[in-house]
């Protein structure tokens, strides 16, 4: 079986360093809000290129706390609108509605799968307060046009960087391009913990301070609670593990790019639509998405031949049962992507022989 992602091998590739880091935390007797968090937050902020990084429990919480902080700061209020790509993972939209804000879904560009800048201005209303871009599949969604739109209309630019750790735009890392960014360290991410984890990055000191308080029961200092917050903290073991894996992230991403290039150069089946890679720095291939009109047939064929694939994602957000208020929307580009997308195996520990086997099987598929 060629696994979609062999997490056991991914962890083993840095096994000695991870074991040392975990043992260090266990032996320290300090398991929350300690030196490991402090060091990882500093190292991650330096890596992303922002003044602040604030650890939290997971990627969804990171996005929730950004928006909640803006509400607490008076930048937004319930009922305000946030523009978001229509084909994103549900977490992006959950963060908006969790704060009483209104998601405004904008179609992606079918060629890049990222929000289509040409469609954004038509979605702006007097209630729009932010654009939340999603670096979906590991590809940079930011464009200069989006930056200009935000400045022209006085909108916050928020990045969902859950899938794009290490991605670049003109030499700057995603997660530093907007006013704030949410990051997920779910185990399967390019920078993954051994459990859940997340972070917020920003250059805004007030936002960072508010996020940190909200994620710590709303506390600004011990036993003093300014906000109605929650417990959403990155634990010391996960921070230590992430510190190890951060040191290897660029090398791991380089291997992902090598595999992606092998797929692009090797897959010649005309029934397959391959992802476009206009700039090698602007994609870290958390996912290698292909499209075909016979997606389900291809997935079964590959499974029958020992190749595990995943669909990202089978049901678009506006068709999910939890959002009946979105069911009336007609979003044909998103629906086409969700009906045709199939993700091929890719990881920094995937050997060339497995990549070649996947290519051969796809080229033989009729």
């Amino acid at each position: 079986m060629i696994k979609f992602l062999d997490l056991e091998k991914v962890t083993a590739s840095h096994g000695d360093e991870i074991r040392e880091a975990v043992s260090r935390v266990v032996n320290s007797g300090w398991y929350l809000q300690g030196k490991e968090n402090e060091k990882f937050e500093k190292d991650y902020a330096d890596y992303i290129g922002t003044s602040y990084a604030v650890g939290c429990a997971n990627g969804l919480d990171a996005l929730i706390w950004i928006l909640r902080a803006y509400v607490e700061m008076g930048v937004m209020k319930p009922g305000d609108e946030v523009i978001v790509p229509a084909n994103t993972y549900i977490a992006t939209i959950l963060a908006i509605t969790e704060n009483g804000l209104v998601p405004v879904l904008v179609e992606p560009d079918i060629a890049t799968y990222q929000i289509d800048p040409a469609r954004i201005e038509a979605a702006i209303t007097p209630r729009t307060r932010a654009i939340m871009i999603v670096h979906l599949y590991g590809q940079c969604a930011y464009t200069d046009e989006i930056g200009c739109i935000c400045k022209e209309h006085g909108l916050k630019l928020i990045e969902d960087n859950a899938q794009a750790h290490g991605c670049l735009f003109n030499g700057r890392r995603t997660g530093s391009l907007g006013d704030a960014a949410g990051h997920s360290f779910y185990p399967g991410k390019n920078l993954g913990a051994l459990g859940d984890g997340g972070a917020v990055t920003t250059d805004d000191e007030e936002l960072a301070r508010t996020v940190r308080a909200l994620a710590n029961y709303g506390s600004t200092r011990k036993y003093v609670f300014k906000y109605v917050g929650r417990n959403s903290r990155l634990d010391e073991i996960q921070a230590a593990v992430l510190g190890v894996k951060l040191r290897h992230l660029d090398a791991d991403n380089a291997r992902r790019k090598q595999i992606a290039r092998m797929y692009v150069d090797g897959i010649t089946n005309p029934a397959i639509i391959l992802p476009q890679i206009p700039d090698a720095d602007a994609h870290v291939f958390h996912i290698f998405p292909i499209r075909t009109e016979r997606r389900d047939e291809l997935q079964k064929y590959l499974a029958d031949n020992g190749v595990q694939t995943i669909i990202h994602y089978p049901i678009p957000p506006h068709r999910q049962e939890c959002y009946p208020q979105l069911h009336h929307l007609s979003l044909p580009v998103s629906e086409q992507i969700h009906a045709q997308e199939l993700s091929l195996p890719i990881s920094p520990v995937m050997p060339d022989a497995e990549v070649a086997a996947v290519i051969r099987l796809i080229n033989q598929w009729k």
Side-chain angles (χ1 to χ4, degrees):
M1 167 65 73
I2 298 176
K3 293 184 178 180
F4 177 75
L5 173 63
D6 193 333
L7 280 178
E8 184 178 359
K9 286 185 178 179
V10 170
T11 302
S13 68
H14 311 307
D16 290 343
E17 293 174 84
I18 289 173
R19 280 187 289 272
E20 189 279 327
V22 171
S23 295
R24 183 175 67 243
V25 175
V26 171
N27 294 332
S28 74
W30 195 289
Y31 307 124
L32 283 170
Q33 296 181 297
K35 293 180 180 179
E36 298 293 345
N37 257 276
E38 183 179 348
K39 184 177 188 309
F40 174 69
E41 288 181 345
K42 181 183 183 306
D43 289 347
Y44 195 59
D46 289 346
Y47 178 81
I48 294 297
T50 55
S51 300
Y52 306 97
V54 181
C56 60
N58 54 67
L60 172 58
D61 278 5
L63 296 174
I64 288 174
W65 298 136
I66 291 169
L67 293 170
R68 172 73 182 281
Y70 280 135
V71 171
E72 296 290 352
M73 292 162 60
V75 175
M76 301 179 189
K77 63 181 183 303
D80 284 344
E81 295 173 349
V82 178
I83 289 173
V84 65
N87 62 320
T88 185
Y89 181 58
I90 197 73
T92 320
I93 297 171
L94 288 172
I96 297 169
T97 57
E98 174 75 12
N99 284 285
L101 303 168
V102 179
V104 177
L105 276 58
V106 170
E107 289 269 59
D109 182 332
I110 191 66
T112 66
Y113 310 127
Q114 310 304 315
I115 191 168
D116 188 345
R119 298 174 184 261
I120 290 177
E121 287 212 72
I124 296 174
T125 77
R127 293 192 300 172
T128 306
R129 295 293 176 269
I131 299 172
M132 186 179 287
I133 59 174
V134 182
H135 305 299
L136 197 65
Y137 306 146
Q139 183 169 359
C140 181
Y142 180 83
T143 66
D144 288 329
E145 184 178 354
I146 291 175
C148 290
I149 290 171
C150 287
K151 289 179 181 178
E152 181 181 348
H153 294 274
L155 305 177
K156 294 295 183 183
L157 178 60
I158 303 167
E159 299 172 75
D160 181 339
N161 199 47
Q163 300 185 9
H165 314 103
C167 188
L168 292 168
F169 175 82
N170 290 345
R172 295 174 59 194
R173 297 202 188 276
T174 55
S176 70
L177 303 174
D179 295 284
H183 308 252
S184 168
F185 304 128
Y186 179 80
K189 304 298 187 184
N190 289 33
L191 180 61
L194 298 186
D196 268 325
V200 172
T201 55
T202 184
D203 287 325
D204 186 330
E205 182 179 5
E206 182 182 3
L207 180 71
R209 186 171 59 246
T210 305
V211 166
R212 189 176 299 281
L214 287 166
N216 188 34
Y217 297 98
S219 175
T220 52
R221 57 190 173 92
K222 196 170 181 68
Y223 301 133
V224 177
F225 303 94
K226 182 175 181 179
Y227 309 105
V228 179
R230 294 183 188 171
N231 177 1
S232 176
R233 299 175 298 202
L234 183 66
D235 71 66
E236 287 286 279
I237 287 178
Q238 301 305 339
V241 170
L242 289 166
V244 169
K245 297 182 80 173
L246 180 59
R247 296 196 293 268
H248 299 282
L249 178 58
D250 286 345
D252 287 348
N253 282 344
R255 175 57 182 162
R256 287 176 176 271
K257 292 179 182 183
Q258 288 177 347
I259 294 169
R261 176 51 59 187
M262 290 173 67
Y263 279 146
V264 169
D265 291 344
I267 296 174
T268 57
N269 189 323
I272 304 300
I273 299 172
L274 295 166
Q276 294 186 8
I277 314 174
D279 181 350
D281 287 336
H283 209 317
V284 291
F285 292 99
H286 172 60
I287 300 297
F288 188 90
I290 63 172
R291 287 183 15 244
T292 177
E293 294 181 356
R294 296 158 53 209
R295 187 264 313 281
D296 294 346
E297 292 179 40
L298 176 58
Q299 184 175 44
K300 183 179 184 304
Y301 161 80
L302 290 173
D304 289 344
N305 284 276
V307 177
Q308 184 182 38
T309 59
I310 295 179
I311 298 169
H312 292 89
Y313 303 97
I315 305 173
H318 70 289
R319 293 286 181 253
Q320 296 288 350
E321 185 177 353
C322 62
Y323 284 122
Q325 69 271 35
L326 302 178
H327 287 181
H328 70 284
L329 295 175
S330 174
L331 299 166
V333 178
S334 293
E335 290 167 13
Q336 180 181 354
I337 293 170
H338 285 268
Q340 295 180 347
E341 193 276 342
L342 187 67
S343 301
L344 300 184
I346 190 167
S347 83
V349 296
M350 187 178 181
D352 285 357
E354 290 189 353
V355 181
V358 174
I359 293 170
R360 183 178 64 254
L361 285 168
I362 291 177
N363 286 340
Q364 291 174 351
W365 180 60
K366 297 178 180 180

